[in-house]
Amino acid sequence: MRVNVWCVDGACLIEGLCPVEDPKWTAGSPVRRHRVAFVRHGAYLRRVNGVESFGDSTSVLVVKPGDEMAVAHPLGCGDQLVLLDLSEELADPLRTGVFAVDDEIDLAQRQIVTAARRGIDELELNERIGMLLERLPNAGLAPTGAVTAAHRRLTSHAAQLLAAVGYTVGLGEIAGLLDCSPHHLSRTFRRVTGQTLTEYRNRARVREVLGELQDGADNLRELAARYGFADQAHMIRVVRRHAGGSPGTLKKILRA
């Protein structure tokens, strides 16, 4: 993994690109540190203590030392991650598991990376990390007792399909590929994730666009086509709704 690392008292902020190409599962191994893992771009599968989930920019994973973890990359290489390795003290208030990432938290973790790239002192970086940790949600996604394993798998497969095709397919096509009715897929996805497929798709593709802008992309028309928006104007409206500003404004905020 190619990384940038910034360490302060009690925490390390890690920006990494994972080049793994093998779609198969890695061998399970124990987690060695308290870690919070955001996905900045791309997607992967993760299995923690036997529970499998699909990881993309709409969720964050929190693990602790001793957790058993394996990963797989069915969509190929290039996943970009933002990791926080934490001391026992900083990690103590956090619950472990998979949690939804709302639009404000997503933008905040991206801004921390931008600030670190630009160069900020340890005090400010430490405070920013602390405020981000305080904003992490307390309710996990798809608790084991709330939904069946089959429903969790269906939801995970639907999210993978959307990511694989650049968020360009509709509900009927996804349901057909998964051999279920659109109504069943829509209802199940909403029950497991707490959001509709439309809401999920918009959040996920807006965050892919933000990642592209942060890394230097300038052609908005190409980005709109790549991520399944009707046109550039449609993308601008959706980005503004979820991220609170136009792509041009956010590009200035997020670029180092």
Side-chain angles (χ1 to χ4, degrees):
M1 178 183 285
R2 300 197 299 274
V3 297
N4 292 316
V5 182
W6 301 271
C7 289
V8 293
D9 185 31
C12 282
L13 171 66
I14 305 166
E15 178 191 22
L17 173 64
C18 184
V20 176
E21 297 184 16
D22 193 342
K24 298 179 182 178
W25 286 98
T26 61
S29 59
V31 174
R32 297 182 178 180
R33 57 187 63 87
H34 295 279
R35 171 167 283 183
V36 178
F38 294 92
V39 178
R40 196 166 71 85
H41 175 75
Y44 70 109
L45 290 174
R46 56 209 172 189
R47 184 186 293 144
V48 180
N49 299 329
V51 179
E52 183 178 320
S53 61
F54 180 66
D56 65 4
S57 60
T58 67
S59 66
V60 60
L61 174 69
V62 183
V63 292
K64 66 182 186 303
D67 285 343
E68 188 80 10
M69 184 169 177
V71 299
H73 293 76
L75 303 182
C77 62
D79 305 335
Q80 298 176 13
L81 306 175
V82 174
L83 311 174
L84 291 171
D85 284 354
L86 306 173
S87 66
E88 187 79 30
E89 181 181 3
L90 280 179
D92 182 63
L94 300 179
R95 290 182 56 198
T96 57
V98 178
F99 304 90
V101 174
D102 65 25
D103 298 322
E104 291 183 358
I105 292 174
D106 178 73
L107 188 59
Q109 62 94 358
R110 295 175 189 275
Q111 288 178 300
I112 287 177
V113 171
T114 297
R117 287 178 179 178
R118 289 173 176 169
I120 58 175
D121 62 33
E122 290 187 8
L123 175 60
E124 182 179 353
L125 182 57
N126 219 331
E127 287 186 330
R128 283 177 177 246
I129 290 173
M131 288 187 289
L132 178 63
L133 294 176
E134 290 175 1
R135 297 170 70 175
L136 291 182
N138 293 317
L141 289 174
T144 303
V147 294
T148 67
H151 285 179
R152 290 196 299 273
R153 284 196 299 271
L154 179 64
T155 298
S156 177
H157 291 161
Q160 289 179 61
L161 277 174
L162 275 172
V165 297
Y167 308 97
T168 58
V169 296
L171 176 61
E173 188 174 351
I174 298 172
L177 291 169
L178 296 174
D179 196 25
C180 68
S181 73
H183 176 69
H184 175 69
L185 174 59
S186 178
R187 182 179 58 186
T188 299
F189 195 95
R190 188 170 63 251
R191 184 183 179 197
V192 172
T193 68
Q195 59 186 326
T196 66
L197 259 170
T198 297
E199 291 167 339
Y200 163 79
R201 181 185 66 168
N202 281 340
R203 280 195 171 91
R205 60 183 175 172
V206 163
R207 292 170 190 182
E208 290 294 307
V209 169
L210 293 181
E212 298 266 14
L213 293 173
Q214 192 168 19
D215 288 341
D218 287 307
N219 193 317
L220 298 186
R221 183 176 300 174
E222 287 185 2
L223 289 178
R226 184 178 307 160
Y227 293 107
F229 294 96
D231 51 32
Q232 180 176 323
H234 178 220
M235 182 185 74
I236 291 173
R237 290 196 302 273
V238 177
V239 169
R240 191 187 298 275
R241 184 186 316 140
H242 284 277
S246 69
T249 299
L250 292 163
K251 180 173 62 176
K252 294 176 183 178
I253 293 172
L254 294 175
R255 284 194 188 176

